[in-house]
Amino acid sequence: MLVALASPLFAATIGCDEAQPPRVAVYPVRGRITFKGQPALGALVALHPQAGPREDVPTPRASVGKDGSFTLTTFVGGDGAPAGNYVLTVKWYKPVKNGPDVVAGPNVIPRKYAHPHTSDKIITIAAGENDLKIILL
Amino acid sequence: MLRKPAGFTLVELLVVIAIIGVLVALLLPAVQAAREAARRGQCANNLKQLGLAVQNYHDAKQAVPVSARPVGLTGLPRIAAVTHLLEYMESGNVRGAFDLSKNWGHPDNRQAVNSRIATLQCPSSPEDAARLDGLPENSPWAAEIGSPTDYSPTVWVDRRLADAKLVDATATDQAGNPADSPGIMEYNNTSSSFKMVTDGLSNTILFAESAGRPALYRRNTQVTSDLLAARVNGGGWCRPASDILVFGLSADGVQEVGQCAVNCANGSDVVESGYPHPYLSTYGTSQPYSFHSGVVLHAFGDGSVRPINDSIDIREYARLVTRAGEELTPDIQ
C-alpha cells in the first residue's frame, strides 16, 4: 500500500521538475498604497516592464490588504518581481453599497494610473529586498 | 548420498514471498490507476448529463439557464442556474420541492437544497458526498445548508486579469476600461442564448469542475479540514455564488489574479480575505479544480466533454471561457 501511494508521488516529482522551464530570478517587493489618505483595500497593483511585456514572465501584481500594504507576486504567492524598471498601475473598484448588498463599484483611482502608457509612477526593482514605502495617489 | 527434502526450506519460502511481494507492488499502482480512470469516466459522464441538460433547456426556452443574483434594494431571490436544470436531469422531485419565489437560503427551501444530487458529484473527490455548504453571511459560519456540486458554470473572466495584462481584454465598459468578459451562462442575463456564442459552441466552456468545495484544496492537498480556518466561498449547487468567475491564481494557488488557470486551488480562501471579499464582495471565490491527475474535465457548449491539461495558461483558458472574444480557435492541449 505504501508503495502504491508513494509511486505516483515519485513519478509526479520527477515528471514536473523536468517539465518546468527555468524561471527568472525574482526579488521580494513590499509597499503600501494610500489614496486620499485611505488604505486602498482590494485595489489591484500591477508593475508593467518599461521594456514591454515578456512572454515568459507574468506581470508582477498584488492585491492591496487591509492597512494598504501589498506584497508583489510573479509566479508563486508573494515571491516578488524580477529586477528592472516598471510602470506602476493601480485600479481600485471600491465596493459600494447596493441595497443590503455590497458590490464592486467603478474604479475610483484617477484614470491616468490605470494604464501603463499614462501612469507616471516609475518603480525600480533591484536585486535583494525591496521596500517601496508608501505610495500616495 | 541423496536426501529427498521433506518440504520447503526457510530460504525457499522467503524467496517465494519476496517474489510475490514484488509482483503485488508492481500491480497495485496499476489497479489504483484503473480505479481512478473509471471514476474519471463517471465524472465525465456527469458533465455530459449537464451539457445535455443545457441543450434540452435551450431547446425548450430558446435561452440558457443563468444564475440570478439581483443587486440593489430588491426582494428578488438568488437562484442558481443549476436549479433550473434539475428537471432536465431527472431531479424533478428536488426542483418540485424548491420554491423559486424564495431565496435558496430560505428555510422553506432547506429540504430541497440539502438534497444530494449524485450527478453533480464527481466520484474522484475524497470529500464526503453527504457534506454541506453554509450561509456565507453567518458568523460563526456553519456547514448546514446546500449539498455541494463539483461542477459549476464559468460565468465570466474577471476584469482584474485584463487590468494586469494576463489576458486579452475582450469586453470594455462605457469608459473604455476592461470589463468582465462573459461566458455562455452569464450572471443575471436571462436573454443569454447560444446565439450569443459567436466563438462557436465547441470552442466555449459551459461547465468546469471545481471539486472538493467548500473545503479548500491547493495542489492536491487539503489546506485544513477545519472549514472555519479556511474554505472556498462556494460549493452548494443551489448557490449562484458557486459559479466560477475565472480570475486565475499564482502557481501555488494562494494569490488571486495569476497565470494558473486550473488545478492550482479549488478557489481562494474567503476566511483569509474576509467576507464580504474586498473585491469580489459577496460573489464566490471558486476556481476550476479536479482530483484527476493532470487534467480538469470541462463540458463545452456543444455538449462535448473534454479534458483540459493543467499546464494551460490563463490567457488561453480565458479564450475558451469567453463566448464572443473573437480570438483564434485555441488549442486545449
Side-chain angles (χ1 to χ4, degrees), chain A residues 23 26-29 71-81, chain B residues 250 252 255:
Chain A
R23 287 173 177 169
V26 288
Y27 305 100
V29 185
T71 313
L72 285 179
T73 296
T74 299
F75 299 104
V76 296
D79 58 353
Chain B
S250 57
D252 54 357
Q255 295 291 326

Side-chain angles (χ1 to χ4, degrees), chain A residues 4-88:
Chain A
L5 286 172
S7 27
L9 280 177
F10 182 61
T13 19
I14 20 178
C16 284
D17 282 359
E18 281 173 358
Q20 288 289 332
R23 287 173 177 169
V24 297
V26 288
Y27 305 100
V29 185
R30 58 196 172 88
R32 287 184 68 195
I33 286 245
T34 56
F35 176 62
K36 293 181 180 165
Q38 256 187 309
L41 170 62
L44 182 79
V45 180
L47 261 62
H48 306 275
Q50 271 191 321
R54 287 180 58 173
E55 190 92 322
D56 54 334
V57 185
T59 316
R61 70 237 164 244
S63 294
V64 177
K66 281 199 178 66
D67 54 348
S69 65
F70 64 87
T71 313
L72 285 179
T73 296
T74 299
F75 299 104
V76 296
D79 58 353
N85 291 327
Y86 295 90
V87 184
L88 179 132

Side-chain angles (χ1 to χ4, degrees), chain A residues 51-124:
Chain A
R54 287 180 58 173
E55 190 92 322
D56 54 334
V57 185
T59 316
R61 70 237 164 244
S63 294
V64 177
K66 281 199 178 66
D67 54 348
S69 65
F70 64 87
T71 313
L72 285 179
T73 296
T74 299
F75 299 104
V76 296
D79 58 353
N85 291 327
Y86 295 90
V87 184
L88 179 132
T89 61
V90 188
K91 271 199 166 182
W92 188 17
Y93 303 103
K94 196 179 173 189
V96 288
K97 265 211 148 16
N98 198 332
D101 203 5
V102 279
V103 293
N107 177 28
V108 293
I109 307 271
R111 272 198 75 177
K112 71 168 188 167
Y113 295 116
H115 296 285
H117 301 304
T118 50
S119 173
D120 54 6
K121 294 275 176 197
I122 308 296
I123 303 285
T124 304

Side-chain angles (χ1 to χ4, degrees), chain B residues 14 20 43 53 58 65 67 75 116 118 140 142 156 172 180 238 251 273 278-279 310 313 317:
Chain B
L14 286 176
I20 292 172
C43 201
H58 193 274
S67 296
R116 203 187 131 209
W156 67 49
T172 49
D180 301 313
C238 55
S273 66
Y279 170 74
D310 58 15
D313 185 72
Y317 189 77

Side-chain angles (χ1 to χ4, degrees), chain B residues 246-266:
Chain B
V246 176
F247 49 71
L249 292 161
S250 57
D252 54 357
V254 177
Q255 295 291 326
E256 281 170 24
V257 190
Q259 74 281 20
C260 177
V262 302
N263 258 358
C264 285
N266 62 351

Side-chain angles (χ1 to χ4, degrees), chain B residues 108-133:
Chain B
D108 289 358
N109 282 335
R110 185 68 60 104
Q111 200 196 352
V113 303
N114 283 9
S115 305
R116 203 187 131 209
I117 315 257
T119 314
L120 294 175
Q121 298 192 326
C122 179
S124 300
S125 166
E127 288 283 308
D128 178 12
R131 71 195 187 280
L132 292 174
D133 196 2

